[in-house]
Structures are given as structure tokens and as C-alpha cells.
Amino acid sequence: MSRIKLFLWYVGVVVLSLFANITIKFIPFKSLIRWITNSEAISTEELCLTNNEQKRLYRAEELLEHVREKVPWRVYCFEQAIVALIIAKVLKVNMNIYFGVQKVNDQILAHAWTVAGEVIFTGREESVHFVPVFVRGYKANIKKIRKIHKKGKFI
């Protein structure tokens, strides 16, 4: 990747992380989830990635980790998941977002992570300790599929 492209990706991820941080504070969860996803959970077959898509998502994940360590605002699991879903929209890749809970002593902890293909992209390390309670997906070609179904031409 050229330095200019890398710089533009980096700036984009910084802006998206700030945007995610702000939206979590001001937009209700239900509205935010409807905006960043467009379908119920996506099946494993539909989540398959090409090698090129997988490389791009890995680069985005590396940049997101780097940005998370450098910026002064909070970029925890939910913010990272929002950024990952927006990047999935840009790259036209199917992705699921999972929300899970874990009980520790008398506290209930929550976590969010994203999955594309067979790979957990954000929130990987902590996700094994949480039980998924809610899953939504972003399906890249859903508008095209909806138009075909409205016209009566089924795939």
C-alpha cells in the first residue's frame, strides 16, 4: 500500500472512531443499530470473504488498533465494531455484529465484536468469555436483492 493510501486510511479510521464515540453518546442504541446494520444475522455461507477482502479488512483492523492506542477519546469494543461495520459498508463486505454478556461476581459485563467470514475482526480476545445475546448483520447487496424481489424476479 502506498504511503498516501495508508495515510488516507489512517485519517479515515481516526475520523470514524471519533464519529463512533460521539454517536454512542447521542443516538439511542435501537436507532444506531438500525443505521449501521440492514439485516438479521447473516449465515456463515454469506459471510465468506475473498482473499483481497480479507487482506483489506486485516489492514483496517491493524489501523484501528493503532488508532485506538493513540487517540485521546474512548475507542472500546462498541466503537471499534461501529467503525468495522462502516468500513464493511465502504468495502461492500458482509459482516455480523455480536453483543454478548458475562456475569462476574454481581456485575453484568457487556461486549461487542464483529465477524466476517470465519474471522472475528474486532473484539476477538474478549469475545470468548461472553455469551452472545443479540446479533445483527450488514449485508452488502441487500438493496439490489430487495429490488429484484419487488419486481418478482427471484434469484
Side-chain angles (χ1 to χ4, degrees):
M1 184 184 291
S2 71
R3 287 181 181 219
I4 293 172
K5 272 188 178 179
L6 185 62
F7 176 74
L8 291 174
W9 267 100
Y10 187 82
V11 169
V13 171
V14 167
V15 169
L16 287 175
S17 70
L18 178 62
F19 173 76
N21 183 283
I22 292 169
T23 56
I24 287 171
K25 293 176 181 163
F26 295 106
I27 298 177
F29 178 81
K30 191 174 182 180
S31 300
L32 182 59
I33 289 302
R34 268 193 253 130
W35 178 72
I36 61 174
T37 63
N38 62 5
S39 74
E40 298 297 320
I42 301 172
S43 67
T44 308
E45 298 85 36
E46 292 178 299
L47 288 174
C48 290
L49 299 172
T50 65
N51 287 338
N52 192 27
E53 290 170 339
Q54 197 164 11
K55 286 178 189 174
R56 290 171 125 186
L57 283 175
Y58 275 130
R59 272 191 240 129
E61 179 193 18
E62 289 171 1
L63 283 172
L64 184 55
E65 275 298 311
H66 190 318
V67 165
R68 187 179 72 81
E69 295 168 359
K70 302 292 181 191
V71 295
W73 54 85
R74 173 193 136 129
V75 186
Y76 293 148
C77 60
F78 193 28
E79 291 90 343
Q80 290 177 32
I82 290 171
V83 171
L85 282 165
I86 294 171
I87 290 172
K89 282 183 176 188
V90 170
L91 298 177
K92 294 183 173 71
V93 174
N94 294 343
M95 186 176 280
N96 277 337
I97 182 170
Y98 290 81
F99 296 94
V101 295
Q102 173 190 28
K103 187 172 182 180
V104 177
N105 300 327
D106 289 338
Q107 291 184 322
I108 294 179
L109 304 176
H111 183 57
W113 63 96
T114 55
V115 176
E118 301 277 329
V119 182
I120 299 173
F121 278 96
T122 61
R124 181 180 309 117
E125 295 81 22
E126 299 85 6
S127 67
V128 294
H129 305 293
F130 290 83
V131 177
V133 292
F134 184 66
V135 183
R136 288 282 297 171
Y138 171 73
K139 201 176 279 191
N141 295 322
I142 197 149
K143 288 181 183 174
K144 184 177 180 181
I145 292 168
R146 284 182 183 157
K147 284 181 184 176
I148 290 170
H149 283 283
K150 282 182 181 177
K151 290 180 180 178
K153 300 175 183 175
F154 297 101
I155 299 173

